[in-house]
């Protein structure tokens, strides 16, 4: 039996999609357990380049079943368009994708509330993806949300829908929202159509996963966002609305903590952040621009330019501790080529502390596509080993390009 949790160890966009796609070659299940279509997991493989938002990154392997777990919030429109895009590529989604009855639905009023709240925050805005994720989770917790499973019972869904509509109309008014749901009957009809389309996918996924564990199947739990965006341990209030760490993998899938075998933290060889909030190791504008262009650091969901910074070891150590990370997958090492020296933040994991840096020597060689550790220039090897030494955690994958095979695998 093997249950592996994959989490982002920074502010999201660490390359989780690439790593999960690669590991899915040997998986029976890949499960998304948190977030929603605020996530954008980019996969580069024989099908081309695709950003997945809700569908697990194991979908490209025919043996791999994919589950959208109870902890995910699902925008049906976004999900259906993703299913359609994959179908067009000839991927059999219908037979392999299952969605938890317990996952909550993102409704149009959630997106409107997200927009209105961000506008009202003015200069204090969070810089959300405006996908309605925060308000959907707010309603989940306040027990007025609608769940995917509700779609299976027209009468019950209609009753819940009407109550939620009333509540949200008042909320949108209170927020001085420029948008409101004008035609609830049309919207209800639209959701009942989604219900028909999604019906074949909706099941009790906890049960499926319990069976999978009992049958010794290999399961990957694919996290969204990153540890520093966690609602508790992240840079509050500049965070997402859910838990993003390894503990969320259990709550968001129904797999108990005692069944988890390892936690792989995916970290970029540097750091990026989309949206507002503290960023202790942020680079100066010029260096950030250069890294952004080389690393194509633009949001996979919103297209926003990502802020760029140096690696922050102090913060990584804290993230490893809180999440029990047992291995690191280090991505985008290729992007650092030709930058010399390479500063690494070694103290100052909180916004109030100033950072001190250690400068490591850079290298002049392109690393793209290298698959053997010994083929890395000594300075790049040193960079990887420095991180291992400082964190005390083994780096088992070094990614040297976006493609599935552009990876150095280092046996544990
Ligand atoms: P995720 O949200 O953690 O899955 O990451 P994103 O997909 O949002 O962002 C990571 C970006 O980096 C994507 O465009 C990937 O294709 C790309 N990527 C992943 N690993 C590497 C790598 O090792 N080198 C380079 N150059 N690009 C990479
Ligand atoms: P993946 O899974 C990077 C950020 C937003 C914003 C904050 C709150 O691709 O790594 P939200 O819409 O969630 O309420 O926005 O969180 N954010 C992400 N940043 N990668 C993500 O996902 C993110 N999901 C949310 O930019 O700062
Ligand atoms: Mg992303």
């Amino acid at each position: 039996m093997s249950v592996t949790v994959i989490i982002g160890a920074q502010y999201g966009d660490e390359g989780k999609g690439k790593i999960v796609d690669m590991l899915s070659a040997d998986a029976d299940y890949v499960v998304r357990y948190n977030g929603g279509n605020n996530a954008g997991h980019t996969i580069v493989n024989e099908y081309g380049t695709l950003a997945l938002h809700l569908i697990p990154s194991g979908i490209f392997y025919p043996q791999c079943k994919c589950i959208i777990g109870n902890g995910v919030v699902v925008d049906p429109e976004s999900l259906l368009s993703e299913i359609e895009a994959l179908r067009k590529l000839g991927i059999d989604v219908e037979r392999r994708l299952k969605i938890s009855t317990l996952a909550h639905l993102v409704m149009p009023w959630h997106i409107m509330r997200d927009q209105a709240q961000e506008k009202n925050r003015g200069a204090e805005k969070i810089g959300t993806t405006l996908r309605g994720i925060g308000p959907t989770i707010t309603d989940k917790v306040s027990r007025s949300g609608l769940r995917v499973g509700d779609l299976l019972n027209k009468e019950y869904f209609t009753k819940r829908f009407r109550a939620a509509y009333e509540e949200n109309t008042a909320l949108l008014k209170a927020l001085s929202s420029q948008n409101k749901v004008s035609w609830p009957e049309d919207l209800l009809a639209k959701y009942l159509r989604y219900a028909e389309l999604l019906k074949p996918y909706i099941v009790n996924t906890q049960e499926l996963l319990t069976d999978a564990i009992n049958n010794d199947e290999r399961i990957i739990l694919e996290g969204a966002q990153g540890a520093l965006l966690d609602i508790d341990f992240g840079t509050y209030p500049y965070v997402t609305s859910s838990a993003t760490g390894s503990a969320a993998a259990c709550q968001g899938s129904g797999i108990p903590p005692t069944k988890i075998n390892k936690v792989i933290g995916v970290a970029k060889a540097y750091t990026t952040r989309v949206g507002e909030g503290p960023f202790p190791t942020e680079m100066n504008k010029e260096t950030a621009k250069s890294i952004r262009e080389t690393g194509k650091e633009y949001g996979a969901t919103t297209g926003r330019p990502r802020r760029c910074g140096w690696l922050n070891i102090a913060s990584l150590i804290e993230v490893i501790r809180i999440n029990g990370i047992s291995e690191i997958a280090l991505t985008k090492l290729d992007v650092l080529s030709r930058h010399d020296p390479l500063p690494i933040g070694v103290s100052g994991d909180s916004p109030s502390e100033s950072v001190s840096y250690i400068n490591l020597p850079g290298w002049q060689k392109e690393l793209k596509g290298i698959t053997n550790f010994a083929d890395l220039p000594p300075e790049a090897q040193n960079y990887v080993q420095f991180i291992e030494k400082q964190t005390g955690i083994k780096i088992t994958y070094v990614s040297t390009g976006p493609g599935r095979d552009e990876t150095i695998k280092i046996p544990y």
Side-chain angles (χ1 to χ4, degrees):
M1 187 225 13
S2 90
V3 182
T4 301
V5 178
I6 310 280
I7 64 162
Q10 293 154 330
Y11 300 99
D13 301 330
E14 298 89 349
K16 299 174 293 294
K18 147 148 187 178
I19 299 294
V20 173
D21 171 61
M22 181 189 78
L23 295 178
S24 299
D26 300 313
D28 300 302
Y29 281 91
V30 176
V31 187
R32 268 284 305 273
Y33 59 81
N34 72 326
N37 62 333
N38 49 351
H41 296 181
T42 313
I43 320 274
V44 180
N45 60 22
E46 71 268 25
Y47 291 97
T49 300
L50 217 86
L52 296 174
H53 302 286
L54 283 163
I55 295 187
S57 301
I59 198 72
F60 298 97
Y61 282 98
Q63 92 290 346
C64 191
K65 284 154 269 181
C66 290
I67 290 185
I68 298 178
N70 58 284
V72 177
V73 295
V74 177
D75 181 328
E77 195 171 334
S78 165
L79 176 60
L80 286 164
S81 77
E82 220 169 305
I83 292 174
E84 195 44 39
L86 288 166
R87 260 205 208 123
K88 280 194 182 141
L89 292 174
I91 293 162
D92 176 9
V93 184
E94 191 151 333
R95 212 175 40 85
R96 294 194 292 117
L97 177 71
K98 296 292 168 216
I99 311 166
S100 167
T101 50
L102 307 182
H104 275 248
L105 288 167
V106 178
M107 304 296 290
W109 47 69
H110 293 132
I111 298 169
M112 294 172 191
R113 275 164 59 188
D114 201 353
Q115 284 164 346
Q117 282 180 314
E118 277 289 85
K119 185 159 180 278
N120 295 345
R121 286 181 187 120
E124 308 298 315
K125 74 172 195 278
I126 292 164
T128 75
T129 59
L130 301 176
R131 296 296 188 273
I133 307 302
T136 304
I137 296 172
T138 302
D139 283 2
K140 171 178 176 174
V141 176
S142 74
R143 289 152 292 177
S144 55
L146 294 159
R147 303 202 283 187
V148 168
D150 299 343
L151 291 169
L152 300 177
N153 181 336
K154 188 175 167 184
E155 212 170 291
Y156 182 72
F157 182 80
T158 303
K159 194 173 102 185
R160 296 282 297 179
F161 176 95
R162 291 199 197 289
Y165 167 76
E166 292 300 329
E167 188 172 294
N168 276 276
T169 301
L171 279 169
L172 287 168
K173 202 168 157 204
L175 289 168
S176 311
S177 168
Q178 286 170 342
N179 300 302
K180 62 178 192 234
V181 183
S182 329
W183 308 106
E185 296 310 318
D186 289 355
L187 186 65
L188 177 61
K190 195 170 168 182
Y191 270 74
L192 293 173
R193 269 200 309 280
Y194 292 152
E196 287 308 311
L197 295 169
L198 291 176
K199 215 180 203 165
Y201 301 96
I202 305 172
V203 297
N204 177 332
T205 54
Q206 308 85 271
E207 224 167 70
L208 268 185
L209 290 170
T210 303
D211 289 347
I213 287 176
N214 290 339
N215 294 330
D216 270 354
E217 297 197 88
R218 299 156 302 175
I219 302 170
I220 294 175
L221 298 172
E222 177 181 7
Q225 289 83 52
L228 301 173
L229 293 175
D230 183 84
I231 186 78
D232 288 299
F233 303 112
T235 53
Y236 194 89
Y238 300 98
V239 292
T240 192
S241 305
S242 61
T244 59
S246 55
C250 296
Q251 184 70 18
S253 68
I255 293 182
T258 45
K259 300 294 180 193
I260 307 287
N261 302 98
K262 58 178 167 180
V263 180
I264 302 181
V266 185
K268 267 181 195 164
Y270 48 100
T271 313
T272 60
R273 173 163 207 166
V274 204
E276 310 303 316
F279 191 173
T281 58
E282 191 159 12
M283 292 163 177
N284 66 43
K285 272 205 171 86
E286 210 172 295
T287 316
K289 193 168 166 232
S290 157
I291 292 280
R292 187 176 304 119
E293 293 318 310
T294 319
K296 299 199 176 72
E297 295 296 356
Y298 294 89
T301 297
T302 57
R304 289 178 291 176
R306 294 173 180 152
R307 296 157 68 192
C308 298
W310 302 111
L311 186 71
N312 188 340
I313 283 275
S315 140
L316 192 56
I317 290 169
E318 181 74 358
V319 165
I320 288 168
R321 189 180 65 75
I322 288 175
N323 293 285
I325 288 174
S326 51
E327 309 172 23
I328 293 172
L330 189 72
T331 60
K332 305 192 91 160
L333 190 64
D334 55 302
V335 177
L336 291 180
S337 292
R338 301 188 195 290
H339 285 272
D340 193 8
L342 294 168
I344 292 190
V346 290
S347 72
D349 65 327
S350 82
S352 54
E353 282 175 75
S354 64
V355 188
S356 54
Y357 291 95
I358 285 183
N359 282 330
L360 294 188
W363 54 90
Q364 298 305 317
K365 190 180 154 183
E366 293 302 326
L367 307 187
K368 189 170 158 31
I370 290 181
T371 53
N372 280 317
F373 191 75
D375 294 339
L376 291 175
E379 296 84 0
Q381 294 189 16
N382 176 55
Y383 192 87
V384 174
Q385 285 161 346
F386 178 84
I387 299 168
E388 283 188 326
K389 203 160 162 215
Q390 291 282 316
T391 59
I393 296 290
K394 189 106 180 79
I395 295 180
T396 47
Y397 301 95
V398 177
S399 176
T400 57
R404 191 185 268 173
D405 300 324
E406 295 175 312
T407 314
I408 300 168
K409 296 179 185 172
I410 310 168
Y412 199 88

